[in-house]
Amino acid sequence: MAETTDEAGTRVEAPASGGEAAAGNGSGADGAEADAGVTEDRLESIAARVVGQFKKDQQVLSFGELVAEVRRDPHRISRGAFEYVRDMFDWFGTRPVPGTGGRVVPRWNLFDTPWSGGEGAVRGQEEVQASLYRFLQSFCEKGRADKLLMLHGPNGSSKSTIVEAIMGGLEFYSGEAAGAVYTFTWVFSDAFERDRLGFGGGARKDSPAIKAGSHAYLAPEEISFQMPCELKDNPLFLIPKEERIRLLEDAYQGRGETVRLSSFMTDGDLCQKCREIYTSLLNAYQGDWSRVVSHIRVERLSISKRYRRSAVTIEPQRNVDGATRALNLEKNFQIPPVLGHSNLFEPYGDLIDANGGIVEYSDFFKRPLEMHKYLLTTCEKNSISLPSLMAYLNVVMLATSNEKHLSAFKRDPDFSAFKGRIELICVPYLIEVSKEARIYERHLEPIRVEKHVAPHTAWAAALWAVLTRLRRPKSKHYSSDLGAVVARLTPVQKADLYDGAGPPNDLKEAERRDLAGNVGKIVAEFEDVEEEFEGMIDAAYEGRRGASPREMMTLLNEAAAFEGSRCVSPLTLLRGMRDLSRDRSLYDFLRLEADNGYGDIERLTEEVERVYLERVVEEVNDAIDLVEAKEYRRLFEDYFLHVKAFNRGERVPNRQTGELEEPNDELMSKVEGVIGVREKPDQFRRSLIERIAAWAIGHANQPLDYDELFGDILRALKTNYYKDREVSVEAITRNILRFGTEDARDIKAEDRPTVLRSLARLKVKYGYCVDCAKEVLTFVLKNRAALQKG
């Protein structure tokens, strides 16, 4: 490249000459032309796709084309916002999932946010979803949304996430064929009745759109003036009521369907501004209605929270939620002369933007109550009085509130008036460990890019969070027998029960059945309870207080930043939990009064560590693989064979001789001693058969699944096998810890394959890396030593 100097005398590189450029590129002008051709082809391709999608989606229709759509699908074109939101729920559909206690409940797929790959999904909260749908269905049956649906709960319980999922679902649904919803814009051109209306010129009278009798497809240069409907009225409101109802009834009957018309469609009408325009045009055209609707361009509404189109969140501000301005007085707003004597007021504001969809009042009670009093009539009458204008609304109203603020409001004299216009939907913290863990699994995904995350990290966070939220059951709330069992539940046992793991194994079989059949009653025990906390009467339902997901994610972030560990692990997290619990002024759940283990944060942290130890000991034993599964399974199968014979009063064939013998009481007693049977042997043995009978009801024509039916017994037998081989297990564990260090030379040659195989199983089967595997092995060794000392 040539050199030259700039004005300051500095040496700079000059651009290559045309010849040099051609030599360097090997193409010159021909290459530039080729690039331009490729770019033009690409732009034409994009343009073709955009226009094709535009037409396919029917983004713009004439009024006549909309009426044709009514005949094809009357419900889709005539539904109100409450029906639209309900239909959106139905469109996404449901699937069965385990609810609290393992019972099957429907989950609305909407809250999995499939349009974003699960980003922003709501974990759990199936009861909340069901409540929302029930209220929407109630609105549809009444034909109007006359209540504000308020989601209330502690900070971080996913209230706003639920609303965001609904708004996201509406955005996605509005882009699908089933979710098409329409509004309209008034369009004027001097090509129509120029002398009568007196517009400025420029439009072509030979326009195909004008020849077709509609302004819907006019080119921009042919349009003199256009005015949208800010309230996004349904275009069918342009049809007189009786004719509108007759049109819809004919459409339903033509499809062989039951007529479904809500009061929104039968009683609804144009907004005040559109009614003024409609009346002015009808007068100008001497009652020629077809010429009035020829000015209508039907437009598909794309719901969007970003652009505040029928999905709006109102923050706790102090300004009003709607206002108007007079168009006639706007100097820069040149309305058509035919409308010059009309009183045209244009509404604007949050509620106006939200109309046709959904509005959320975020942190409802953070705004002065006076700012919300208009809702007393707005919710009931679906209207809001603005200066010079009464705006009739078509919107589903949601609100969110912190539980503390709601509890304070319940003591306000105005509460009774508001309560009649509000439906309360409680959104507690989750009390199911597996669902809580999914929140943290998602949170850990970007952390995994920078640092390895050890197995059980999300689970440990979830277990600790759930344990801080649980309350000790009160025996007085139950029958005497059930109350005695419920009162003995530890926090971990209660968490397991809620998460579908079933009743504790140390209960008698009759107690297990009684407990399993009353999980719903246990979950609902504190639903409507209020108690004093720190001088204030507040809700005391389970999940009202405890560690929030936000606090747990902060702990996970701190564990990831901890330089003393190469991995994010439960042990690092436990350290953070203990640090957090030292300052009781930080969070109210740290100041709860301990109640026999419940609310005792130090003890709950120890419980998480204990359960984690049980998990990793089982994994380490499995990785070392000293005991083959068939050994303890064969023992169980022998035991169960003798139990069946005992219950039936039959004899058992001897494995060696084949001779029939009495059931071996010594064998049965040995197994029952290992698994810790608390009831009389004959009762326990009968209960095993009853367990099979109960399982068979829900698993007809399926072979017995011992792991599902008797997993507790099999685990106990396996653990006992490893206890008998504790010395060998410890020796292998120490050899694994020596691996990769200078002490590796002390590992005997015959032991090396076991070390390598055990490490490989920990990595492949369970997801450990070498660092967190050694961390876990050290943890296991330390606690085994402590147990031996004890």
Side-chain angles (χ1 to χ4, degrees):
M1 181 171 287
E3 288 185 341
T4 185
T5 57
D6 61 12
E7 292 179 356
T10 306
R11 296 177 68 186
V12 296
E13 291 182 335
S17 66
E20 290 173 333
N25 296 335
S27 56
D30 292 340
E33 290 178 5
D35 289 343
V38 171
T39 300
E40 187 175 346
D41 289 344
R42 177 59 60 86
L43 292 175
E44 289 178 357
S45 175
I46 293 172
R49 283 197 295 272
V50 170
V51 73
Q53 192 65 45
F54 185 89
K55 292 178 179 179
K56 178 183 177 183
D57 292 342
Q58 295 182 306
Q59 294 289 347
V60 169
L61 297 174
S62 67
F63 193 79
E65 289 170 330
L66 178 78
V67 172
E69 287 297 309
V70 171
R71 296 187 177 280
R72 280 190 281 271
D73 193 345
H75 174 72
R76 180 169 61 85
I77 305 299
S78 64
R79 54 193 167 176
F82 50 91
E83 295 168 297
Y84 189 82
V85 178
R86 189 274 314 271
D87 289 352
M88 183 266 295
F89 270 68
D90 288 336
W91 187 79
F92 279 101
T94 63
R95 70 181 191 281
V97 298
T100 307
R103 69 190 192 283
V104 176
V105 296
R107 174 177 175 81
W108 293 93
N109 298 324
L110 155 70
F111 295 98
D112 295 327
T113 61
W115 58 86
S116 64
E119 188 67 32
V122 177
R123 309 300 175 186
Q125 303 294 8
E126 284 79 22
E127 290 295 331
V128 176
Q129 298 169 25
S131 294
L132 282 167
Y133 185 79
R134 281 196 299 271
F135 285 123
L136 289 170
Q137 187 64 35
S138 173
F139 293 160
C140 292
E141 290 169 359
K142 289 186 292 186
R144 55 203 299 263
D146 57 356
K147 296 288 184 71
L148 174 76
L149 304 182
M150 177 173 286
L151 304 177
H152 63 96
N155 285 330
S157 65
S158 77
K159 302 180 293 295
S160 295
T161 306
I162 289 169
V163 176
E164 287 169 6
I166 294 173
M167 288 187 176
L170 286 172
E171 287 188 28
F172 185 82
Y173 180 59
S174 70
E176 298 295 307
V181 60
Y182 295 95
T183 182
F184 62 89
T185 291
W186 295 96
V187 179
F188 297 88
S189 170
D190 66 346
F192 276 83
E193 301 293 340
R194 179 173 182 177
D195 294 336
R196 184 192 299 266
L197 302 181
F199 295 118
R204 294 184 295 109
K205 293 188 177 181
D206 61 345
S207 166
I210 293 178
K211 288 183 177 180
S214 172
H215 292 65
Y217 296 109
L218 285 173
E221 65 273 12
E222 298 174 316
I223 297 174
S224 304
F225 181 83
Q226 56 185 342
M227 186 182 296
C229 176
E230 289 75 21
L231 282 164
K232 298 174 280 294
D233 282 344
N234 190 305
L236 294 183
F237 289 166
L238 291 157
I239 304 175
K241 285 186 181 180
E242 291 184 3
E243 296 299 329
R244 182 196 319 161
I245 294 171
R246 189 176 296 114
L247 170 68
L248 289 166
E249 287 177 344
D250 289 347
Y252 275 114
Q253 292 167 3
R255 290 169 54 86
E257 297 177 359
T258 302
V259 176
R260 295 177 290 162
L261 294 179
S262 67
S263 58
F264 162 75
M265 184 50 57
T266 58
D267 300 334
D269 207 338
L270 294 170
C271 69
Q272 185 170 316
K273 186 190 78 174
C274 290
R275 176 55 63 186
E276 285 282 346
I277 297 173
Y278 177 95
T279 302
S280 295
L281 288 176
L282 195 65
N283 290 338
Y285 288 136
Q286 300 294 308
D288 190 340
W289 176 81
S290 62
R291 295 179 70 180
V292 173
V293 296
S294 73
H295 286 275
I296 296 299
R297 181 173 67 214
V298 176
E299 299 169 348
R300 184 163 175 175
L301 175 63
S302 296
I303 295 175
S304 171
K305 182 180 180 181
R306 171 179 290 186
Y307 301 115
R308 297 175 60 81
R309 287 197 300 263
S310 301
V312 173
T313 294
I314 300 178
E315 302 295 342
Q317 59 204 6
R318 288 182 176 269
N319 57 292
V320 296
D321 302 323
T324 61
R325 58 173 171 259
L327 298 182
N328 316 59
L329 303 179
E330 293 282 342
K331 294 182 179 179
N332 297 324
F333 205 86
Q334 301 299 318
I335 65 173
V338 71
L339 305 179
H341 299 289
S342 302
N343 292 318
L344 299 183
F345 293 90
E346 180 179 85
Y348 62 92
D350 292 324
L351 276 175
I352 307 305
D353 293 341
N355 207 45
I358 191 168
V359 63
E360 174 203 7
Y361 291 87
S362 180
D363 288 320
F364 188 84
F365 294 114
K366 283 188 178 180
R367 193 159 73 159
L369 195 59
E370 292 297 320
M371 301 293 293
H372 288 312
K373 284 192 173 179
Y374 75 88
L375 289 174
L376 292 174
T377 54
T378 296
C379 288
E380 181 182 11
K381 299 181 179 179
N382 299 132
S383 62
I384 179 171
S385 180
L386 303 174
S388 305
L389 176 70
M390 178 67 76
Y392 288 86
L393 300 176
N394 170 37
V395 66
V396 174
M397 294 184 175
L398 296 178
T400 60
S401 170
N402 182 282
E403 193 67 54
K404 185 176 181 180
H405 295 147
L406 175 61
S407 293
F409 176 60
K410 286 180 178 179
R411 272 94 196 145
D412 191 287
D414 288 322
F415 174 70
S416 58
F418 273 88
K419 180 62 183 75
R421 302 291 176 259
I422 295 175
E423 292 290 356
L424 298 175
I425 301 174
C426 184
V427 187
Y429 289 138
L430 296 179
I431 52 176
E432 297 147 282
V433 175
S434 59
K435 293 177 181 178
E436 183 79 8
R438 293 189 199 120
I439 298 174
Y440 309 129
E441 287 288 357
R442 187 83 182 192
H443 181 74
L444 287 167
E445 286 179 5
I447 294 175
R448 293 179 195 276
V449 177
E450 302 294 333
K451 201 169 186 178
H452 182 257
V453 178
H456 311 305
T457 302
W459 163 84
L463 177 60
W464 191 76
V466 168
L467 292 180
T468 66
R469 302 166 185 171
L470 299 183
R471 300 196 54 184
R472 184 188 179 192
K474 310 297 182 186
S475 58
K476 64 182 180 180
H477 295 155
Y478 306 90
S479 64
S480 56
D481 290 342
L482 180 60
V485 176
V486 168
R488 296 202 308 269
L489 287 174
T490 68
V492 170
Q493 288 174 336
K494 194 175 188 185
D496 285 343
L497 183 68
Y498 283 175
D499 208 30
N505 296 324
D506 61 356
L507 296 179
K508 297 177 181 179
E509 196 62 29
E511 293 174 332
R512 285 169 57 89
R513 287 196 302 272
D514 199 15
L515 198 61
N518 286 278
V519 174
K521 189 173 184 179
I522 298 170
V523 171
E525 179 179 356
F526 299 100
E527 266 185 7
D528 300 315
V529 174
E530 290 188 327
E531 294 176 353
E532 183 175 339
F533 179 74
E534 297 185 340
M536 176 180 173
I537 300 298
D538 196 3
Y541 54 82
E542 207 160 37
R544 162 66 183 92
R545 287 189 171 81
S548 80
R550 294 172 187 169
E551 288 138 20
M552 297 312 302
M553 286 188 276
T554 299
L555 282 179
L556 288 168
N557 291 340
E558 291 172 353
F562 180 61
E563 296 180 356
S565 176
R566 294 183 179 181
C567 299
V568 186
S569 72
L571 295 176
T572 311
L573 191 61
L574 283 162
R575 185 182 297 107
M577 293 171 185
R578 291 189 169 98
D579 290 342
L580 176 72
S581 62
R582 290 191 183 99
D583 188 353
R584 296 185 178 275
S585 66
L586 287 175
Y587 305 108
D588 60 5
F589 76 89
L590 297 175
R591 300 189 296 275
L592 291 171
E593 185 177 342
D595 187 3
N596 197 30
Y598 291 85
D600 187 336
I601 303 303
E602 289 80 6
R603 188 167 166 183
L604 293 176
T605 306
E606 291 171 0
E607 282 292 278
V608 173
E609 186 174 74
R610 178 188 64 79
V611 179
Y612 173 62
L613 175 62
E614 291 176 357
R615 283 197 169 202
V616 295
V617 163
E618 189 171 325
E619 290 175 351
V620 169
N621 288 343
D622 183 62
I624 291 173
D625 199 27
L626 280 181
V627 180
E628 292 187 21
K630 63 183 180 183
E631 292 187 42
Y632 55 86
R633 290 186 74 90
R634 184 172 62 234
L635 175 60
F636 174 76
E637 288 168 2
D638 285 344
Y639 166 74
F640 193 64
L641 182 68
H642 285 258
V643 165
K644 285 194 294 184
F646 173 84
N647 283 319
R648 294 172 180 172
E650 299 173 350
R651 309 181 94 192
V652 183
N654 186 293
R655 280 188 181 273
Q656 282 74 37
T657 65
E659 294 182 5
L660 294 177
E661 300 174 348
E662 292 295 322
N664 190 329
D665 193 64
E666 182 179 351
L667 168 67
M668 292 187 287
S669 296
K670 176 184 175 182
V671 171
E672 288 156 4
V674 168
I675 62 179
V677 173
R678 295 178 61 248
E679 53 199 305
K680 293 180 180 179
D682 57 338
Q683 290 179 342
F684 177 74
R685 294 165 192 172
R686 281 198 302 272
S687 73
L688 296 182
I689 304 302
E690 292 169 1
R691 199 186 292 191
I692 292 175
W695 183 88
I697 294 174
H699 301 79
N701 302 320
Q702 295 182 28
L704 284 181
D705 186 336
Y706 282 143
D707 291 306
E708 181 179 344
L709 267 168
F710 306 113
D712 52 332
I713 299 176
L714 289 168
R715 281 192 296 274
L717 291 175
K718 182 179 180 180
T719 301
N720 186 67
Y721 265 86
Y722 275 100
K723 281 183 179 178
D724 293 341
R725 294 157 178 78
E726 200 165 274
V727 174
S728 299
V729 170
E730 183 173 337
I732 296 171
T733 302
R734 293 190 183 281
N735 279 337
I736 296 173
L737 290 173
R738 293 188 183 103
F739 183 77
T741 69
E742 293 181 357
D743 295 334
R745 60 178 176 269
D746 296 333
I747 303 175
K748 296 178 181 178
E750 61 268 25
D751 293 334
R752 288 182 180 274
T754 302
V755 169
L756 293 172
R757 184 176 65 250
S758 300
L759 270 175
R761 285 172 67 89
L762 284 170
K763 180 179 180 180
V764 175
K765 186 173 182 179
Y766 295 109
Y768 291 92
C769 70
V770 172
D771 292 317
C772 59
K774 289 188 174 184
E775 182 185 52
V776 161
L777 291 167
T778 302
F779 174 64
V780 169
L781 272 180
K782 176 183 175 182
N783 283 275
R784 275 179 172 158
L787 288 172
Q788 288 172 354
K789 288 178 183 178

